[in-house]
Amino acid sequence: MSGRALAAVLATLAAVTTTLTGCSADRGDSDTLRVLLANFPANNQGQAVYDDIVDIFHESYPDVKVEADFVPYDNLNAKIATSLAAGTTYDVISAGVGWIQPLAGLGAIGSLEDDGFSTEQLEETVYPSFIPPMLQDGELYGVPIVANPRVLAYSRSAFEAAGLDPDSPPRDFDELVADAQALTEHDADGNITQAGFDFWAKPSGYRQQFVAFLGAAGGTLFDDTEPRFDGPEGERALSTMRDLIADGSSQYGYQNTAQTALVTAGQAGMGFASPYVDCSEGEGGIGADKCDDLVYFSLEDEQSAMFTGGRIAAMGAQSELPDAAAAFIRAMQDPATQEAISVMDVGVPVDKAAADSDFVRGNPASTYAVDHLDSAIMEYGGTNFLEFRSAGGWALDEALLGQTSPEDALSALADLSRTRT
């Protein structure tokens, strides 16, 4: 979305926010639950997962119809702005981890504290790192459904070929850069045949990777609504990413035709990867030998960090069916639903009880991801987080490509992220 388009959407959101207090939507059929599902694929798989959620919900509310809208994340804020302006608010909104505070600040979602949910209850079932992103002003505004980690992996055989110890992953940023240089291979014409490090990112798509490096450097995105990513930790994180690109260890914006992680495809010695890898010998699988060759690890510098996104569920602030909305949210929390959405989202369940499930333990990447959710670094912030989300890609690219310094790029991005504090 362009800066001008974003500004228009944000202006619409700001305008409709003022109409929410004391306003009740004209719902039409009061026995219809309206649900907004972000990044829920409108295909056979998405429909099947959705149908199963509705079936679980209908066990408690058989007479309540469910009407769902599926939208991509890039259209989510505009969709909500339009619905609020039209007075047709949603009862349940499922979005990404970073959307809780912006949606709460806009009045689109409300506290769950009076609807049978509590922080104490959540602390018993999910990993501690998932609690803060669910809170607004100390109250619970959403619940996590699945986690979407980006794990790191390296090829044991590539390490050995480069003269590196395959049992010793890089322990800090300096070692990461040095190992990436050693792993990079070229043909006789100087073309890269094996990248040393793969960010698994398209142009302007390095935002989540920056969050991972920022967390490893000991930094954080926001302190409430105040940006904190423009401090020395952020500069070190972005400088390290720039160095990996500048020295040729990483190919800026390169993705293979399948858009899969290069390290799992055998095209990079090390890099970001999915929390699921198909180890089968059939079509789409990488085979048992390649699976055994991959070693998973987390970024480290000042601390261990694993970037983790995820899906949340929240209740519409103006819902006239709060009990039914709460039941639909619980249907999304159901263990079977978490597993089904994890498959669809390429993620892992957030419930601690799922840690030893066959779904998790049947895959080495999923096993590593779940075992390290305690070091999850998430992309969220204050009510103005959407500015960072929208502008972060191109702002970071300017530094990654040497068009500006990391300090200046982050300073400009932080100023933009203060525009709605």
Side-chain angles (χ1 to χ4, degrees), residues 47-282:
Q47 188 65 47
V49 174
Y50 167 73
D51 288 343
D52 287 343
I53 296 171
V54 173
D55 287 344
I56 295 172
F57 167 74
H58 277 156
E59 292 175 5
S60 302
Y61 288 87
D63 298 325
V64 176
K65 293 179 290 186
V66 181
E67 178 184 294
D69 284 340
F70 296 178
V71 298
Y73 279 126
D74 287 345
N75 294 346
L76 181 61
N77 48 7
K79 184 73 172 179
I80 291 173
T82 301
S83 69
L84 292 176
T88 54
T89 55
Y90 289 97
D91 298 289
V92 176
I93 296 176
S94 178
V97 167
W99 290 80
I100 291 287
Q101 291 80 23
L103 294 181
L106 291 165
I109 61 174
S111 171
L112 294 173
E113 300 283 351
D114 296 327
D115 296 292
F117 298 90
S118 69
T119 302
E120 292 75 19
Q121 180 188 59
L122 201 60
E123 287 173 343
E124 296 177 359
T125 59
V126 305
Y127 295 86
S129 55
F130 284 86
I131 302 297
M134 301 299 110
L135 305 179
Q136 168 73 352
D137 295 332
E139 292 194 27
L140 188 68
Y141 271 70
V143 295
I145 303 299
V146 300
N148 296 114
R150 281 181 179 262
V151 299
L152 283 176
Y154 65 83
S155 164
R156 177 177 289 274
S157 59
F159 260 53
E160 291 173 343
L164 302 173
D165 183 352
D167 295 316
S168 298
R171 294 168 294 183
D172 56 32
F173 288 170
D174 292 338
E175 288 191 7
L176 183 76
V177 172
D179 288 356
Q181 291 173 340
L183 290 165
T184 305
E185 296 181 355
H186 302 82
D187 62 18
D189 296 324
N191 300 309
I192 292 179
T193 57
Q194 175 179 278
F197 187 88
D198 175 34
F199 283 101
W200 194 19
K202 59 185 179 181
S204 298
Y206 286 74
R207 194 187 70 244
Q208 294 179 347
Q209 290 82 346
F210 168 70
V211 174
F213 274 77
L214 173 66
T220 187
L221 275 180
F222 287 85
D223 179 5
D224 193 14
T225 59
E226 180 64 20
R228 297 298 185 196
F229 53 80
D230 55 336
E233 298 87 357
E235 292 173 25
R236 176 162 172 75
L238 191 53
S239 294
T240 302
M241 295 173 66
R242 178 200 58 192
D243 292 346
L244 286 164
I245 293 171
D247 68 17
S249 300
S250 185
Q251 299 165 282
Y252 167 77
Y254 175 77
Q255 291 187 304
N256 58 27
T257 55
Q259 296 188 333
T260 55
L262 298 186
V263 66
T264 56
Q267 297 172 285
M270 177 171 56
F272 283 96
S274 163
Y276 175 80
V277 58
D278 185 349
C279 295
S280 72
E281 303 291 341

Side-chain angles (χ1 to χ4, degrees), residues 368-385:
Y368 182 88
V370 167
D371 286 347
H372 292 80
L373 284 177
D374 56 350
S375 63
I377 300 296
M378 299 188 194
E379 185 184 33
Y380 74 100
T383 55
N384 52 329
F385 166 73

